[in-house]
């Protein structure tokens, strides 16, 4: 796990602390969740690849989604590893309260957050 901290000015009404999480590939995530909680983040941004495979190797990724959503508003886009399980990922995001951003954006307190779907998925599902 690599933690890097950055600060930048944004035209919003308050300071926001965001966690950017990428390519967890169904890891055991307790250490990651603790690091996020220690920083009292305001939102969690995920770029996909939370699972690895489409059978017994998805449990940690989906549990992580649920635990992240309990910690802070969580936004996710689909990575190539979600390709064979798009409907399941959509369902798990909806169940856990994670905002799935597939070729769209949302406004979080004046901060616009967008999500692009991996080209591997977009090509096969017609999202492009």
């Amino acid at each position: 796990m690599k933690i890097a901290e950055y600060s930048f000015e944004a035209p919003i009404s308050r300071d926001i602390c965001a966690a950017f999480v990428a390519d967890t590939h169904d890891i055991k995530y307790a250490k990651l969740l603790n690091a996020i909680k220690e920083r009292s983040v305001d939102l969690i941004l995920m770029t996909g690849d939370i699972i690895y495979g489409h059978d017994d190797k998805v449990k940690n990724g989906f549990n992580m989604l649920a635990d992240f959503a309990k910690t802070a508003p969580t936004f996710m886009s689909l990575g190539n590893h979600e390709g064979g399980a798009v409907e399941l990922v959509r369902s798990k995001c909806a169940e856990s309260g994670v905002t799935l951003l597939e070729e769209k954006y949302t406004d979080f307190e004046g901060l616009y957050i967008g999500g692009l779907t991996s080209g591997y998925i977009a090509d096969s599902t017609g999202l492009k």
Side-chain angles (χ1 to χ4, degrees), residues 36-100:
I36 287 171
K37 287 180 177 181
E38 285 172 5
R39 285 159 179 79
S40 300
V41 302
D42 298 298
L43 70 153
I44 301 170
L45 307 169
M46 303 179 68
T47 59
D49 289 356
I50 62 159
I51 60 176
Y52 188 78
H54 306 110
D55 45 27
D56 63 335
K57 296 183 179 180
V58 299
K59 184 178 178 183
N60 288 328
F62 292 138
N63 288 340
M64 181 180 64
L65 279 181
D67 286 341
F68 280 6
K70 291 175 193 169
T71 303
T74 303
F75 304 87
M76 180 181 155
S77 61
L78 297 171
N80 63 301
H81 282 270
E82 282 79 40
V86 173
E87 290 304 321
L88 181 58
V89 173
R90 286 177 181 150
S91 172
K92 292 295 185 179
C93 284
E95 284 175 25
S96 63
V98 171
T99 300
L100 184 60

